[in-house]
Amino acid sequence: TTGAYVEVNGATQVLDRDLRFNLGARYYSTDQTIEGPQTVNGVLSFLSRTSNYDGLLPSFNLAWNLREDLIVRASASRTVTRPNPSAMLPGTTFSDPSAQQANQGNPNLQPYTSNNFDFGGEWYTGGAGYIGVALFRKELTGFTVNGTNTIPFSQLGVPFDQLTNLQQQAINNRGGPDAATVTVQQQVNADGVLTILGQEVTWVQPLDFLL
């Protein structure tokens, strides 16, 4: 993974109150190789798959001192979560004697992203104590779900000669390895947007008045 970022920090005054901000963006590019074992009819082999992805992650933060002990905050950002490596292992198992249904990892899974929006504030009650309230909204895209893909047998990465005679005959009856399709159960990146709304309340109270 390679990346680069740019960041700008600044401060000004609005209504004679301090306003602090920073904004920036990070670009990343990832090239990956996924390799794992698979056993078909007692024969062990290793599969290797390569894939790549890139993206831009902007970020913005704002803090405004309404009073010396009261700060209002707002932020917006995009974050990325990479897929589970165990869901990307390319090992294949067949769930029917005709090699028409298979389970396989998906090395082409893309990371999913979240657009995050936060608004809140803190009231500082003295020392390290404060009370904070925050509202947040997250818009997730590309999260992974169980799905199916229909692909030619030749794209599975399973050697044809490792299949049983019954499976080879069934594939030849469907047009041969390049034409016969297999329905593959695997994790896929979902369409659509998942929106999460929430709120947080924080109370930090030092106990130095007791101890």
PDB file of all heavy atoms in Angstrom, residues 37-71:
ATOM      1  N   PRO A  37      -4.444 -22.563   0.146  1.00  0.00           N
ATOM      2  CA  PRO A  37      -4.541 -23.950  -0.302  1.00  0.00           C
ATOM      3  C   PRO A  37      -5.987 -24.354  -0.592  1.00  0.00           C
ATOM      4  O   PRO A  37      -6.934 -23.778  -0.057  1.00  0.00           O
ATOM      5  CB  PRO A  37      -3.996 -24.733   0.893  1.00  0.00           C
ATOM      6  CG  PRO A  37      -4.396 -23.890   2.066  1.00  0.00           C
ATOM      7  CD  PRO A  37      -4.327 -22.464   1.610  1.00  0.00           C
ATOM      8  N   GLN A  38      -6.139 -25.346  -1.454  1.00  0.00           N
ATOM      9  CA  GLN A  38      -7.439 -25.967  -1.641  1.00  0.00           C
ATOM     10  C   GLN A  38      -7.214 -27.448  -1.922  1.00  0.00           C
ATOM     11  O   GLN A  38      -6.192 -27.838  -2.475  1.00  0.00           O
ATOM     12  CB  GLN A  38      -8.221 -25.316  -2.782  1.00  0.00           C
ATOM     13  CG  GLN A  38      -7.675 -25.604  -4.165  1.00  0.00           C
ATOM     14  CD  GLN A  38      -8.583 -25.072  -5.259  1.00  0.00           C
ATOM     15  OE1 GLN A  38      -9.616 -24.468  -4.983  1.00  0.00           O
ATOM     16  NE2 GLN A  38      -8.204 -25.267  -6.507  1.00  0.00           N
ATOM     17  N   THR A  39      -8.170 -28.243  -1.495  1.00  0.00           N
ATOM     18  CA  THR A  39      -8.107 -29.685  -1.702  1.00  0.00           C
ATOM     19  C   THR A  39      -9.342 -30.123  -2.471  1.00  0.00           C
ATOM     20  O   THR A  39     -10.473 -29.914  -2.025  1.00  0.00           O
ATOM     21  CB  THR A  39      -8.024 -30.438  -0.362  1.00  0.00           C
ATOM     22  OG1 THR A  39      -6.874 -29.979   0.357  1.00  0.00           O
ATOM     23  CG2 THR A  39      -7.910 -31.933  -0.593  1.00  0.00           C
ATOM     24  N   VAL A  40      -9.125 -30.678  -3.638  1.00  0.00           N
ATOM     25  CA  VAL A  40     -10.217 -31.187  -4.478  1.00  0.00           C
ATOM     26  C   VAL A  40      -9.986 -32.672  -4.690  1.00  0.00           C
ATOM     27  O   VAL A  40      -8.968 -33.070  -5.269  1.00  0.00           O
ATOM     28  CB  VAL A  40     -10.275 -30.449  -5.834  1.00  0.00           C
ATOM     29  CG1 VAL A  40     -11.386 -31.026  -6.700  1.00  0.00           C
ATOM     30  CG2 VAL A  40     -10.491 -28.963  -5.618  1.00  0.00           C
ATOM     31  N   ASN A  41     -10.934 -33.484  -4.186  1.00  0.00           N
ATOM     32  CA  ASN A  41     -10.847 -34.940  -4.319  1.00  0.00           C
ATOM     33  C   ASN A  41      -9.501 -35.480  -3.794  1.00  0.00           C
ATOM     34  O   ASN A  41      -8.871 -36.338  -4.402  1.00  0.00           O
ATOM     35  CB  ASN A  41     -11.049 -35.363  -5.780  1.00  0.00           C
ATOM     36  CG  ASN A  41     -12.432 -35.003  -6.275  1.00  0.00           C
ATOM     37  OD1 ASN A  41     -13.407 -35.080  -5.538  1.00  0.00           O
ATOM     38  ND2 ASN A  41     -12.523 -34.584  -7.537  1.00  0.00           N
ATOM     39  N   GLY A  42      -9.060 -34.912  -2.667  1.00  0.00           N
ATOM     40  CA  GLY A  42      -7.841 -35.384  -2.027  1.00  0.00           C
ATOM     41  C   GLY A  42      -6.559 -34.821  -2.593  1.00  0.00           C
ATOM     42  O   GLY A  42      -5.476 -35.144  -2.096  1.00  0.00           O
ATOM     43  N   VAL A  43      -6.636 -33.974  -3.606  1.00  0.00           N
ATOM     44  CA  VAL A  43      -5.436 -33.395  -4.218  1.00  0.00           C
ATOM     45  C   VAL A  43      -5.268 -31.970  -3.707  1.00  0.00           C
ATOM     46  O   VAL A  43      -6.158 -31.132  -3.865  1.00  0.00           O
ATOM     47  CB  VAL A  43      -5.536 -33.403  -5.759  1.00  0.00           C
ATOM     48  CG1 VAL A  43      -4.280 -32.776  -6.362  1.00  0.00           C
ATOM     49  CG2 VAL A  43      -5.713 -34.831  -6.261  1.00  0.00           C
ATOM     50  N   LEU A  44      -4.105 -31.692  -3.097  1.00  0.00           N
ATOM     51  CA  LEU A  44      -3.823 -30.369  -2.539  1.00  0.00           C
ATOM     52  C   LEU A  44      -3.110 -29.504  -3.574  1.00  0.00           C
ATOM     53  O   LEU A  44      -2.152 -29.941  -4.211  1.00  0.00           O
ATOM     54  CB  LEU A  44      -2.945 -30.507  -1.289  1.00  0.00           C
ATOM     55  CG  LEU A  44      -2.466 -29.194  -0.650  1.00  0.00           C
ATOM     56  CD1 LEU A  44      -3.644 -28.418  -0.087  1.00  0.00           C
ATOM     57  CD2 LEU A  44      -1.427 -29.480   0.438  1.00  0.00           C
ATOM     58  N   SER A  45      -3.595 -28.284  -3.737  1.00  0.00           N
ATOM     59  CA  SER A  45      -2.933 -27.322  -4.616  1.00  0.00           C
ATOM     60  C   SER A  45      -3.060 -25.935  -4.003  1.00  0.00           C
ATOM     61  O   SER A  45      -3.809 -25.730  -3.050  1.00  0.00           O
ATOM     62  CB  SER A  45      -3.557 -27.346  -6.024  1.00  0.00           C
ATOM     63  OG  SER A  45      -4.928 -27.000  -5.966  1.00  0.00           O
ATOM     64  N   PHE A  46      -2.308 -24.995  -4.548  1.00  0.00           N
ATOM     65  CA  PHE A  46      -2.343 -23.623  -4.052  1.00  0.00           C
ATOM     66  C   PHE A  46      -2.814 -22.697  -5.152  1.00  0.00           C
ATOM     67  O   PHE A  46      -2.376 -22.807  -6.302  1.00  0.00           O
ATOM     68  CB  PHE A  46      -0.957 -23.197  -3.558  1.00  0.00           C
ATOM     69  CG  PHE A  46      -0.596 -23.761  -2.216  1.00  0.00           C
ATOM     70  CD1 PHE A  46      -0.058 -25.034  -2.116  1.00  0.00           C
ATOM     71  CD2 PHE A  46      -0.810 -23.030  -1.055  1.00  0.00           C
ATOM     72  CE1 PHE A  46       0.268 -25.567  -0.881  1.00  0.00           C
ATOM     73  CE2 PHE A  46      -0.488 -23.560   0.182  1.00  0.00           C
ATOM     74  CZ  PHE A  46       0.047 -24.825   0.270  1.00  0.00           C
ATOM     75  N   LEU A  47      -3.710 -21.792  -4.781  1.00  0.00           N
ATOM     76  CA  LEU A  47      -4.210 -20.791  -5.711  1.00  0.00           C
ATOM     77  C   LEU A  47      -3.651 -19.432  -5.325  1.00  0.00           C
ATOM     78  O   LEU A  47      -3.504 -19.118  -4.146  1.00  0.00           O
ATOM     79  CB  LEU A  47      -5.734 -20.722  -5.682  1.00  0.00           C
ATOM     80  CG  LEU A  47      -6.516 -21.938  -6.177  1.00  0.00           C
ATOM     81  CD1 LEU A  47      -8.012 -21.680  -6.076  1.00  0.00           C
ATOM     82  CD2 LEU A  47      -6.145 -22.260  -7.617  1.00  0.00           C
ATOM     83  N   SER A  48      -3.366 -18.613  -6.314  1.00  0.00           N
ATOM     84  CA  SER A  48      -2.867 -17.263  -6.088  1.00  0.00           C
ATOM     85  C   SER A  48      -3.656 -16.298  -6.959  1.00  0.00           C
ATOM     86  O   SER A  48      -3.843 -16.551  -8.157  1.00  0.00           O
ATOM     87  CB  SER A  48      -1.369 -17.183  -6.414  1.00  0.00           C
ATOM     88  OG  SER A  48      -0.880 -15.873  -6.184  1.00  0.00           O
ATOM     89  N   ARG A  49      -4.146 -15.212  -6.353  1.00  0.00           N
ATOM     90  CA  ARG A  49      -4.932 -14.209  -7.069  1.00  0.00           C
ATOM     91  C   ARG A  49      -4.398 -12.825  -6.723  1.00  0.00           C
ATOM     92  O   ARG A  49      -4.015 -12.547  -5.584  1.00  0.00           O
ATOM     93  CB  ARG A  49      -6.412 -14.304  -6.686  1.00  0.00           C
ATOM     94  CG  ARG A  49      -7.104 -15.592  -7.115  1.00  0.00           C
ATOM     95  CD  ARG A  49      -7.325 -15.610  -8.629  1.00  0.00           C
ATOM     96  NE  ARG A  49      -8.087 -16.771  -9.041  1.00  0.00           N
ATOM     97  CZ  ARG A  49      -7.546 -17.938  -9.387  1.00  0.00           C
ATOM     98  NH1 ARG A  49      -6.227 -18.087  -9.330  1.00  0.00           N
ATOM     99  NH2 ARG A  49      -8.293 -18.949  -9.758  1.00  0.00           N
ATOM    100  N   THR A  50      -4.374 -11.956  -7.699  1.00  0.00           N
ATOM    101  CA  THR A  50      -3.949 -10.573  -7.480  1.00  0.00           C
ATOM    102  C   THR A  50      -5.110  -9.631  -7.738  1.00  0.00           C
ATOM    103  O   THR A  50      -5.999  -9.917  -8.546  1.00  0.00           O
ATOM    104  CB  THR A  50      -2.778 -10.198  -8.402  1.00  0.00           C
ATOM    105  OG1 THR A  50      -3.187 -10.340  -9.773  1.00  0.00           O
ATOM    106  CG2 THR A  50      -1.574 -11.091  -8.132  1.00  0.00           C
ATOM    107  N   SER A  51      -5.111  -8.510  -7.041  1.00  0.00           N
ATOM    108  CA  SER A  51      -6.126  -7.480  -7.250  1.00  0.00           C
ATOM    109  C   SER A  51      -5.556  -6.151  -6.770  1.00  0.00           C
ATOM    110  O   SER A  51      -4.505  -6.101  -6.124  1.00  0.00           O
ATOM    111  CB  SER A  51      -7.434  -7.809  -6.502  1.00  0.00           C
ATOM    112  OG  SER A  51      -7.214  -7.835  -5.100  1.00  0.00           O
ATOM    113  N   ASN A  52      -6.238  -5.077  -7.105  1.00  0.00           N
ATOM    114  CA  ASN A  52      -5.783  -3.752  -6.675  1.00  0.00           C
ATOM    115  C   ASN A  52      -6.981  -2.835  -6.510  1.00  0.00           C
ATOM    116  O   ASN A  52      -8.047  -3.064  -7.096  1.00  0.00           O
ATOM    117  CB  ASN A  52      -4.769  -3.165  -7.666  1.00  0.00           C
ATOM    118  CG  ASN A  52      -5.348  -3.009  -9.055  1.00  0.00           C
ATOM    119  OD1 ASN A  52      -6.092  -2.080  -9.340  1.00  0.00           O
ATOM    120  ND2 ASN A  52      -5.005  -3.941  -9.935  1.00  0.00           N
ATOM    121  N   TYR A  53      -6.818  -1.807  -5.705  1.00  0.00           N
ATOM    122  CA  TYR A  53      -7.851  -0.798  -5.517  1.00  0.00           C
ATOM    123  C   TYR A  53      -7.190   0.472  -4.997  1.00  0.00           C
ATOM    124  O   TYR A  53      -6.057   0.452  -4.494  1.00  0.00           O
ATOM    125  CB  TYR A  53      -8.950  -1.285  -4.562  1.00  0.00           C
ATOM    126  CG  TYR A  53      -8.474  -1.770  -3.221  1.00  0.00           C
ATOM    127  CD1 TYR A  53      -8.216  -0.880  -2.176  1.00  0.00           C
ATOM    128  CD2 TYR A  53      -8.284  -3.127  -2.979  1.00  0.00           C
ATOM    129  CE1 TYR A  53      -7.775  -1.328  -0.942  1.00  0.00           C
ATOM    130  CE2 TYR A  53      -7.841  -3.581  -1.747  1.00  0.00           C
ATOM    131  CZ  TYR A  53      -7.600  -2.680  -0.740  1.00  0.00           C
ATOM    132  OH  TYR A  53      -7.154  -3.123   0.485  1.00  0.00           O
ATOM    133  N   ASP A  54      -7.884   1.582  -5.137  1.00  0.00           N
ATOM    134  CA  ASP A  54      -7.380   2.853  -4.626  1.00  0.00           C
ATOM    135  C   ASP A  54      -8.561   3.715  -4.207  1.00  0.00           C
ATOM    136  O   ASP A  54      -9.724   3.352  -4.427  1.00  0.00           O
ATOM    137  CB  ASP A  54      -6.510   3.583  -5.651  1.00  0.00           C
ATOM    138  CG  ASP A  54      -7.265   3.900  -6.935  1.00  0.00           C
ATOM    139  OD1 ASP A  54      -8.478   3.596  -7.026  1.00  0.00           O
ATOM    140  OD2 ASP A  54      -6.654   4.466  -7.855  1.00  0.00           O
ATOM    141  N   GLY A  55      -8.292   4.848  -3.575  1.00  0.00           N
ATOM    142  CA  GLY A  55      -9.373   5.710  -3.123  1.00  0.00           C
ATOM    143  C   GLY A  55      -8.839   7.003  -2.538  1.00  0.00           C
ATOM    144  O   GLY A  55      -7.641   7.176  -2.309  1.00  0.00           O
ATOM    145  N   LEU A  56      -9.768   7.923  -2.296  1.00  0.00           N
ATOM    146  CA  LEU A  56      -9.455   9.227  -1.720  1.00  0.00           C
ATOM    147  C   LEU A  56     -10.273   9.393  -0.442  1.00  0.00           C
ATOM    148  O   LEU A  56     -11.488   9.160  -0.441  1.00  0.00           O
ATOM    149  CB  LEU A  56      -9.792  10.338  -2.708  1.00  0.00           C
ATOM    150  CG  LEU A  56      -9.410  11.762  -2.294  1.00  0.00           C
ATOM    151  CD1 LEU A  56      -7.896  11.905  -2.246  1.00  0.00           C
ATOM    152  CD2 LEU A  56     -10.014  12.788  -3.249  1.00  0.00           C
ATOM    153  N   LEU A  57      -9.615   9.796   0.650  1.00  0.00           N
ATOM    154  CA  LEU A  57     -10.252   9.928   1.953  1.00  0.00           C
ATOM    155  C   LEU A  57     -10.139  11.378   2.430  1.00  0.00           C
ATOM    156  O   LEU A  57      -9.123  11.764   3.015  1.00  0.00           O
ATOM    157  CB  LEU A  57      -9.597   8.991   2.970  1.00  0.00           C
ATOM    158  CG  LEU A  57      -9.550   7.505   2.585  1.00  0.00           C
ATOM    159  CD1 LEU A  57      -8.775   6.724   3.629  1.00  0.00           C
ATOM    160  CD2 LEU A  57     -10.950   6.948   2.414  1.00  0.00           C
ATOM    161  N   PRO A  58     -11.174  12.201   2.196  1.00  0.00           N
ATOM    162  CA  PRO A  58     -11.137  13.579   2.695  1.00  0.00           C
ATOM    163  C   PRO A  58     -11.554  13.652   4.164  1.00  0.00           C
ATOM    164  O   PRO A  58     -12.210  12.754   4.688  1.00  0.00           O
ATOM    165  CB  PRO A  58     -12.155  14.295   1.806  1.00  0.00           C
ATOM    166  CG  PRO A  58     -13.132  13.223   1.431  1.00  0.00           C
ATOM    167  CD  PRO A  58     -12.353  11.931   1.365  1.00  0.00           C
ATOM    168  N   SER A  59     -11.174  14.755   4.838  1.00  0.00           N
ATOM    169  CA  SER A  59     -11.500  14.936   6.246  1.00  0.00           C
ATOM    170  C   SER A  59     -11.572  16.421   6.556  1.00  0.00           C
ATOM    171  O   SER A  59     -10.808  17.224   6.007  1.00  0.00           O
ATOM    172  CB  SER A  59     -10.439  14.262   7.122  1.00  0.00           C
ATOM    173  OG  SER A  59     -10.711  14.465   8.497  1.00  0.00           O
ATOM    174  N   PHE A  60     -12.501  16.780   7.484  1.00  0.00           N
ATOM    175  CA  PHE A  60     -12.681  18.173   7.874  1.00  0.00           C
ATOM    176  C   PHE A  60     -13.118  18.221   9.330  1.00  0.00           C
ATOM    177  O   PHE A  60     -13.988  17.461   9.754  1.00  0.00           O
ATOM    178  CB  PHE A  60     -13.749  18.827   6.989  1.00  0.00           C
ATOM    179  CG  PHE A  60     -14.157  20.198   7.443  1.00  0.00           C
ATOM    180  CD1 PHE A  60     -13.351  21.297   7.200  1.00  0.00           C
ATOM    181  CD2 PHE A  60     -15.347  20.393   8.114  1.00  0.00           C
ATOM    182  CE1 PHE A  60     -13.721  22.560   7.627  1.00  0.00           C
ATOM    183  CE2 PHE A  60     -15.735  21.650   8.547  1.00  0.00           C
ATOM    184  CZ  PHE A  60     -14.916  22.734   8.305  1.00  0.00           C
ATOM    185  N   ASN A  61     -12.494  19.092  10.120  1.00  0.00           N
ATOM    186  CA  ASN A  61     -12.830  19.247  11.530  1.00  0.00           C
ATOM    187  C   ASN A  61     -12.914  20.728  11.893  1.00  0.00           C
ATOM    188  O   ASN A  61     -12.104  21.544  11.429  1.00  0.00           O
ATOM    189  CB  ASN A  61     -11.769  18.585  12.423  1.00  0.00           C
ATOM    190  CG  ASN A  61     -11.693  17.088  12.206  1.00  0.00           C
ATOM    191  OD1 ASN A  61     -12.497  16.333  12.733  1.00  0.00           O
ATOM    192  ND2 ASN A  61     -10.710  16.658  11.432  1.00  0.00           N
ATOM    193  N   LEU A  62     -13.890  21.044  12.753  1.00  0.00           N
ATOM    194  CA  LEU A  62     -14.145  22.422  13.149  1.00  0.00           C
ATOM    195  C   LEU A  62     -14.431  22.457  14.643  1.00  0.00           C
ATOM    196  O   LEU A  62     -15.171  21.614  15.157  1.00  0.00           O
ATOM    197  CB  LEU A  62     -15.351  22.965  12.380  1.00  0.00           C
ATOM    198  CG  LEU A  62     -15.686  24.445  12.511  1.00  0.00           C
ATOM    199  CD1 LEU A  62     -14.666  25.292  11.770  1.00  0.00           C
ATOM    200  CD2 LEU A  62     -17.074  24.704  11.918  1.00  0.00           C
ATOM    201  N   ALA A  63     -13.837  23.419  15.369  1.00  0.00           N
ATOM    202  CA  ALA A  63     -14.090  23.585  16.804  1.00  0.00           C
ATOM    203  C   ALA A  63     -14.219  25.076  17.089  1.00  0.00           C
ATOM    204  O   ALA A  63     -13.317  25.863  16.769  1.00  0.00           O
ATOM    205  CB  ALA A  63     -12.963  22.978  17.629  1.00  0.00           C
ATOM    206  N   TRP A  64     -15.322  25.473  17.726  1.00  0.00           N
ATOM    207  CA  TRP A  64     -15.623  26.885  17.985  1.00  0.00           C
ATOM    208  C   TRP A  64     -15.887  27.069  19.479  1.00  0.00           C
ATOM    209  O   TRP A  64     -16.751  26.405  20.050  1.00  0.00           O
ATOM    210  CB  TRP A  64     -16.834  27.319  17.165  1.00  0.00           C
ATOM    211  CG  TRP A  64     -17.135  28.793  17.248  1.00  0.00           C
ATOM    212  CD1 TRP A  64     -16.254  29.801  17.456  1.00  0.00           C
ATOM    213  CD2 TRP A  64     -18.421  29.394  17.121  1.00  0.00           C
ATOM    214  NE1 TRP A  64     -16.890  31.015  17.450  1.00  0.00           N
ATOM    215  CE2 TRP A  64     -18.231  30.801  17.253  1.00  0.00           C
ATOM    216  CE3 TRP A  64     -19.706  28.898  16.892  1.00  0.00           C
ATOM    217  CZ2 TRP A  64     -19.288  31.694  17.181  1.00  0.00           C
ATOM    218  CZ3 TRP A  64     -20.756  29.799  16.820  1.00  0.00           C
ATOM    219  CH2 TRP A  64     -20.553  31.184  16.955  1.00  0.00           C
ATOM    220  N   ASN A  65     -15.135  27.967  20.092  1.00  0.00           N
ATOM    221  CA  ASN A  65     -15.296  28.266  21.509  1.00  0.00           C
ATOM    222  C   ASN A  65     -16.437  29.267  21.705  1.00  0.00           C
ATOM    223  O   ASN A  65     -16.238  30.478  21.555  1.00  0.00           O
ATOM    224  CB  ASN A  65     -13.997  28.846  22.079  1.00  0.00           C
ATOM    225  CG  ASN A  65     -12.944  27.783  22.297  1.00  0.00           C
ATOM    226  OD1 ASN A  65     -12.372  27.274  21.343  1.00  0.00           O
ATOM    227  ND2 ASN A  65     -12.680  27.461  23.553  1.00  0.00           N
ATOM    228  N   LEU A  66     -17.625  28.754  22.065  1.00  0.00           N
ATOM    229  CA  LEU A  66     -18.712  29.666  22.384  1.00  0.00           C
ATOM    230  C   LEU A  66     -18.419  30.438  23.668  1.00  0.00           C
ATOM    231  O   LEU A  66     -18.771  31.614  23.810  1.00  0.00           O
ATOM    232  CB  LEU A  66     -20.022  28.892  22.535  1.00  0.00           C
ATOM    233  CG  LEU A  66     -20.649  28.363  21.246  1.00  0.00           C
ATOM    234  CD1 LEU A  66     -21.921  27.604  21.571  1.00  0.00           C
ATOM    235  CD2 LEU A  66     -20.935  29.489  20.279  1.00  0.00           C
ATOM    236  N   ARG A  67     -17.783  29.747  24.629  1.00  0.00           N
ATOM    237  CA  ARG A  67     -17.290  30.356  25.867  1.00  0.00           C
ATOM    238  C   ARG A  67     -15.979  29.668  26.202  1.00  0.00           C
ATOM    239  O   ARG A  67     -15.555  28.736  25.511  1.00  0.00           O
ATOM    240  CB  ARG A  67     -18.298  30.170  27.018  1.00  0.00           C
ATOM    241  CG  ARG A  67     -19.635  30.794  26.782  1.00  0.00           C
ATOM    242  CD  ARG A  67     -20.538  30.692  28.008  1.00  0.00           C
ATOM    243  NE  ARG A  67     -20.346  29.472  28.794  1.00  0.00           N
ATOM    244  CZ  ARG A  67     -21.236  29.030  29.686  1.00  0.00           C
ATOM    245  NH1 ARG A  67     -22.352  29.695  29.907  1.00  0.00           N
ATOM    246  NH2 ARG A  67     -21.010  27.915  30.373  1.00  0.00           N
ATOM    247  N   GLU A  68     -15.348  30.114  27.250  1.00  0.00           N
ATOM    248  CA  GLU A  68     -14.093  29.488  27.651  1.00  0.00           C
ATOM    249  C   GLU A  68     -14.290  28.020  28.010  1.00  0.00           C
ATOM    250  O   GLU A  68     -13.392  27.203  27.835  1.00  0.00           O
ATOM    251  CB  GLU A  68     -13.487  30.243  28.834  1.00  0.00           C
ATOM    252  CG  GLU A  68     -12.945  31.613  28.491  1.00  0.00           C
ATOM    253  CD  GLU A  68     -11.806  31.564  27.485  1.00  0.00           C
ATOM    254  OE1 GLU A  68     -11.013  30.594  27.547  1.00  0.00           O
ATOM    255  OE2 GLU A  68     -11.714  32.461  26.631  1.00  0.00           O
ATOM    256  N   ASP A  69     -15.467  27.678  28.527  1.00  0.00           N
ATOM    257  CA  ASP A  69     -15.718  26.304  28.970  1.00  0.00           C
ATOM    258  C   ASP A  69     -16.720  25.567  28.088  1.00  0.00           C
ATOM    259  O   ASP A  69     -17.200  24.502  28.473  1.00  0.00           O
ATOM    260  CB  ASP A  69     -16.211  26.297  30.418  1.00  0.00           C
ATOM    261  CG  ASP A  69     -17.506  27.100  30.587  1.00  0.00           C
ATOM    262  OD1 ASP A  69     -17.934  27.752  29.615  1.00  0.00           O
ATOM    263  OD2 ASP A  69     -18.085  27.073  31.695  1.00  0.00           O
ATOM    264  N   LEU A  70     -17.039  26.104  26.921  1.00  0.00           N
ATOM    265  CA  LEU A  70     -18.041  25.480  26.048  1.00  0.00           C
ATOM    266  C   LEU A  70     -17.535  25.495  24.608  1.00  0.00           C
ATOM    267  O   LEU A  70     -17.278  26.563  24.031  1.00  0.00           O
ATOM    268  CB  LEU A  70     -19.367  26.225  26.145  1.00  0.00           C
ATOM    269  CG  LEU A  70     -20.562  25.604  25.399  1.00  0.00           C
ATOM    270  CD1 LEU A  70     -20.864  24.214  25.937  1.00  0.00           C
ATOM    271  CD2 LEU A  70     -21.788  26.509  25.521  1.00  0.00           C
ATOM    272  N   ILE A  71     -17.389  24.313  24.032  1.00  0.00           N
ATOM    273  CA  ILE A  71     -16.865  24.160  22.668  1.00  0.00           C
ATOM    274  C   ILE A  71     -17.882  23.399  21.825  1.00  0.00           C
ATOM    275  O   ILE A  71     -18.414  22.367  22.248  1.00  0.00           O
ATOM    276  CB  ILE A  71     -15.522  23.410  22.660  1.00  0.00           C
ATOM    277  CG1 ILE A  71     -14.476  24.183  23.466  1.00  0.00           C
ATOM    278  CG2 ILE A  71     -15.032  23.168  21.236  1.00  0.00           C
ATOM    279  CD1 ILE A  71     -13.127  23.477  23.535  1.00  0.00           C
TER     280      ILE A  71
END
